[in-house]
Amino acid sequence: EIVLTQSPATLSLSPGERATLSCRASQSVSSYLAWYQQKPGQAPRLLIYDASNRATGIPARFSGSGSGTDFTLTISSLEPEDFAVYYCQQRSNLITFGPGTKVDIK
Amino acid sequence: QVQLVQSGAEVKKPGSSVKVSCKASGGTFSSYTISWVRQAPGQGLEWMGRIIPILGIANYAQKFQGRVTITADKSTSTAYMELSSLRSEDTAVYYCASPEGTPDSFDIWGQGTMVTVSS
């Protein structure tokens, strides 16, 4: 099973700041990595698929990069609605999710 | 646009089984996969398995092998997830999810079904 590790566990930032979230895989997943946002009481929302492709309707401030084992989700300038938990997910070998990074208000 | 509507909340005794349904509308059911993902209270997302309705083939996460069964009824466009030998640690929200475009990248989610396991 491919294990995903996310860092940091919590990221405390202010609106307008840049957020950089990391996801590392225990073995190469090529570019088969997605990012999701989840707010309390809601289902996850797909942000990025295949490492760097924004899903339909996702604002341009969200971007993804990386390949192999190291991936990054960047939010260029945090909006109030971006404070949430973010998960990475691989689909290279079955499916696994990372443990999540919580982005909260500083 | 495909929509997924799940069955309602369940309360179960330890050792029993639960079967959650996920009805798809607005698309061609058999042409996409349905995955099941669960989330225990305050915890992260955990993939349980998936089914390809057109083939009737299911894959399961190793953790759930032997305890979960995912099926699909093409005539009603409904997928099912049955989890047996329930224990308190199975208390969670169970989601069905499906990709609209890229395989196994989930842009469509059901509303979630709360399953509580308690004596």
Side-chain angles (χ1 to χ4, degrees):
Chain A
E1 175 182 302
I2 296 176
V3 177
L4 299 179
T5 305
Q6 291 187 243
S7 61
T10 303
L11 193 54
S12 297
L13 295 168
S14 301
E17 288 193 295
R18 182 184 188 88
T20 302
L21 288 67
S22 175
C23 177
R24 177 164 289 177
S26 59
Q27 62 190 78
S28 177
V29 298
S30 185
S31 294
Y32 300 133
L33 190 106
W35 291 93
Y36 297 83
Q37 176 194 69
Q38 189 180 32
K39 298 179 181 178
Q42 297 183 14
R45 178 173 71 144
L46 178 67
L47 300 175
I48 302 287
Y49 65 92
D50 289 352
S52 61
N53 299 285
R54 272 190 303 277
T56 302
I58 301 303
R61 64 181 182 273
F62 292 92
S63 63
S65 63
S67 65
T69 60
D70 290 295
F71 299 86
T72 301
L73 174 70
T74 301
I75 310 171
S76 60
S77 178
L78 283 163
E79 296 288 339
E81 62 267 28
D82 299 337
F83 293 93
V85 180
Y86 293 82
Y87 296 95
C88 57
Q89 172 241 320
Q90 66 81 23
R91 65 178 186 92
S92 174
N93 183 355
L94 292 182
I95 293 163
T96 49
F97 287 90
T101 290
K102 182 178 183 179
V103 179
D104 65 15
I105 300 176
K106 188 173 182 180
Chain B
Q1 176 82 11
V2 176
Q3 289 187 309
L4 301 176
V5 179
Q6 299 182 225
S7 51
E10 303 263 11
V11 179
K12 293 293 183 179
K13 299 286 189 188
S16 67
S17 298
V18 68
K19 191 170 186 176
V20 181
S21 68
C22 171
K23 184 174 176 59
S25 62
T28 306
F29 179 68
S30 297
S31 65
Y32 45 81
T33 63
I34 300 282
S35 275
W36 289 89
V37 177
R38 78 176 187 180
Q39 186 170 38
Q43 303 300 308
L45 303 170
E46 188 171 33
W47 182 76
M48 302 178 69
R50 69 183 171 209
I51 190 163
I52 306 170
I54 196 170
L55 299 176
I57 294 173
N59 306 113
Y60 302 112
Q62 189 171 5
K63 174 177 178 176
F64 298 100
Q65 285 274 6
R67 209 160 66 93
V68 69
T69 303
I70 297 173
T71 56
D73 182 342
K74 289 182 285 186
S75 68
T76 60
S77 299
T78 302
Y80 300 90
M81 185 284 300
E82 183 170 22
L83 187 62
S84 62
S85 302
L86 290 170
R87 35 209 187 230
S88 58
E89 309 90 90
D90 295 317
T91 294
V93 176
Y94 289 76
Y95 293 101
C96 58
S98 183
E100 191 169 37
T102 304
D104 294 329
S105 297
F106 307 119
D107 36 10
I108 304 165
W109 292 75
Q111 83 275 21
T113 296
M114 182 71 211
V115 175
T116 303
V117 182
S118 174
S119 54

